[in-house]
Amino acid sequence: MAEPLLSVDHVRSGYRGGDILNDVSMQVHRGEMVAVVGRNGVGKTTLMRTIMGLLPLRAGDIRFKGVSVASDAPQKRARAGFGYVPQGKMIFPFLTVAENLRMGERIGGAAGSLDRVFEMFPILRERLGQHGGTLSGGQQQALALARALAGNPQLLILDEPSESIQPNIIQEIGQILQRLNRDHGLTIILVENNFSLIRATAQRAYVLDRGRCVAELTTADVADRERMLRHLSV
Ligand SMILES: Nc1ncnc2c1ncn2[C@@H]1O[C@H](COP(=O)(O)OP(=O)(O)OP(=O)(O)O)[C@@H](O)[C@H]1O
Ligand SMILES: [Mg+2]
């Protein structure tokens, strides 16, 4: 098989209190949409922060297109093509929609990707002058996703985009992710707990537990509600 776009090899990482991830390995190939699931507090966010370089690697390696990025700062990874939609949206509430998007362009070192973003999120074009913090929850999630896309990423990492979002908006997010993956060929890692969103979008999944990837789920597994619910947070 071709070289993975992202390869996470025996990663150890955590906080001052100790390691959370002991030995995590996963591979994501170009064009894939892969879910990462696991119960509350197993370290899904910790893993995404480590992949982005926001938390230091204590052991192991992270390679992008075969080249180690382990010692690269988050800004360098963003410029190399990593896009990140953190858990809890984390838009800049006191910046306008336009400023949030410009920030995304700068972080990704890209400019001129906004037309595609507005085509996907027409509401944001209408709200360009509004402060991010005054948008609805669904619109803030759209802005967080749009901000990441404004950097024109090759790998998009989303951490629980459905969290505290209404079901109809979750469905819309699912459709947008499908378009990005299937039509635009964007490679996506999706940390999720919402079974419907995972089933609608992910081609396979990794299950995180006790600081490791304990299972790799196939497309058939991902469509199996009973099986998936065992691995999702309640
Ligand atoms: N900044 C931090 N400092 C110390 N410990 C932390 C910090 N952030 C998270 N942790 C701990 O690390 C562990 C993993 O947390 P993490 O947020 O990665 O889990 P998660 O799988 O994303 O959970 P959730 O499903 O709730 O989002 C938890 O025990 C958590 O308490
Ligand atoms: Mg989390």
Side-chain angles (χ1 to χ4, degrees):
M1 210 180 209
E3 178 96 69
L5 183 63
L6 180 78
S7 186
V8 173
D9 305 320
H10 305 289
V11 157
R12 182 151 60 81
S13 157
Y15 304 95
R16 265 172 36 172
D19 295 340
I20 302 295
L21 309 175
N22 298 307
D23 184 7
V24 173
S25 294
M26 59 182 275
Q27 285 78 40
V28 179
H29 289 88
R30 282 184 180 75
E32 277 196 306
M33 177 140 172
V34 178
V36 173
V37 300
R39 298 200 166 264
N40 276 125
V42 293
K44 302 180 296 294
T45 297
T46 303
L47 176 58
M48 297 312 129
R49 291 175 57 85
T50 307
I51 291 172
M52 287 305 300
L54 296 163
L55 266 178
L57 205 56
R58 292 175 177 173
D61 200 5
I62 295 173
R63 286 176 296 147
F64 188 60
K65 301 178 188 168
V67 178
S68 178
V69 295
S71 54
D72 293 351
Q75 300 87 309
K76 192 165 175 196
R77 294 187 210 194
R79 274 196 213 106
F82 290 48
Y84 185 41
V85 183
Q87 188 168 12
K89 303 174 199 82
M90 304 290 189
I91 53 144
F92 304 109
F94 299 113
L95 297 186
T96 63
V97 167
E99 288 163 342
N100 268 275
L101 294 173
R102 226 173 289 137
M103 204 66 97
E105 283 185 316
R106 290 187 59 175
I107 291 167
S113 316
L114 286 184
D115 282 343
R116 186 179 73 167
V117 168
F118 289 135
E119 189 218 318
M120 291 200 173
F121 305 100
I123 184 75
L124 294 179
R125 198 199 295 269
E126 293 165 27
R127 302 282 161 103
L128 278 178
Q130 196 171 324
H131 282 157
T134 65
L135 299 173
S136 72
Q139 289 165 359
Q140 289 190 27
Q141 188 57 267
L143 178 57
L145 178 50
R147 183 182 57 186
L149 293 174
N152 201 20
Q154 296 171 47
L155 171 69
L156 179 66
I157 297 174
L158 298 117
D159 194 349
E160 300 210 33
S162 77
E163 196 176 43
S164 32
I165 300 292
Q166 293 170 9
N168 60 324
I169 309 287
I170 296 175
Q171 233 183 334
E172 271 178 40
I173 292 173
Q175 284 159 4
I176 287 168
L177 295 183
Q178 275 181 14
R179 275 177 64 192
L180 286 168
N181 178 244
R182 289 176 202 169
D183 303 345
H184 298 263
L186 184 61
T187 309
I188 300 178
I189 298 176
L190 175 68
V191 175
E192 247 315 322
N193 267 307
N194 183 292
F195 171 69
S196 309
L197 182 54
I198 295 170
R199 185 176 52 183
T201 57
Q203 292 128 21
R204 58 189 188 89
Y206 286 95
V207 181
L208 212 57
D209 196 14
R210 287 160 282 144
R212 290 180 164 72
C213 281
V214 293
E216 277 187 61
L217 306 180
T218 64
T219 309
D221 299 331
V222 164
D224 181 341
R225 172 182 283 270
E226 292 304 312
R227 182 175 188 134
M228 288 303 287
L229 289 184
R230 270 187 265 143
H231 300 302
L232 302 179
S233 305
V234 277

